Amino acid sequence: MVSDTAKRYGPSRARAAVYWLATAAVASELAVGGIWDIARLPYVRDLVTHLGYPSYFLVVLGTWKVLGAIALLAPGRALVKEWAYAGAFFTYTGAIVSHLITGYALGEVWLLTILTAMTALSWALRPAGRKDWAAKQ
């Protein structure tokens, strides 16, 4: 059964809405998480240290997260967006594996899985103009 909203606005508007919701969620998490990483908040620092990573890794990861959030929301630059999607995907899946291997904070794995799915959803639903970076080269 098709909803009244889908009938009124069509599938392209629904697709665009889901794209922007997923993209906003991923970009927001990347931006906020990146800032927390760069600031080396005690909670984040303790978590990363317990997972076996050095605390300086937070500054590197946080910087790339913030740049990825900017890339996902900025107009144009399809190739840069592809790298941002890849980086987000690697960040979330790497965090899932790290949590599973160490057995630390397993309750966070569901959130990381949702963020991975949101990243894939945003990538899959991106507008045509954001997909064809090879043709623009």
Side-chain angles (χ1 to χ4, degrees):
M1 176 177 249
V2 178
S3 71
D4 291 337
T5 304
K7 286 179 189 175
R8 184 180 315 149
Y9 298 110
S12 63
R13 285 203 110 159
R15 179 185 175 105
V18 173
Y19 163 76
W20 279 111
L21 286 172
T23 303
V26 172
S28 296
E29 194 289 324
L30 288 173
V32 171
I35 291 168
W36 288 5
D37 290 351
I38 293 167
R40 295 187 199 183
L41 295 180
Y43 167 76
V44 178
R45 186 184 61 240
D46 293 347
L47 186 146
V48 168
T49 303
H50 192 277
L51 291 174
Y53 298 102
S55 65
Y56 70 81
F57 183 66
L58 285 170
V59 177
V60 175
L61 184 61
T63 302
W64 284 113
K65 283 181 175 181
V66 171
L67 292 172
I70 292 167
L72 290 179
L73 297 176
R77 305 288 183 215
L79 180 58
V80 175
K81 288 181 192 309
E82 291 293 318
W83 280 94
Y85 280 120
F89 185 83
F90 296 148
T91 296
Y92 298 136
T93 56
I96 290 169
V97 171
S98 293
H99 280 73
L100 292 174
I101 288 174
T102 62
Y104 183 72
L106 293 178
E108 294 181 10
V109 170
W110 69 270
L111 177 59
L112 294 165
T113 303
I114 290 171
L115 288 166
T116 302
M118 297 286 269
T119 301
L121 184 64
S122 173
W123 177 83
L125 295 178
R126 69 201 188 285
R130 294 182 179 214
K131 289 181 183 180
D132 199 11
W133 59 267
K136 295 176 184 177
Q137 303 303 317

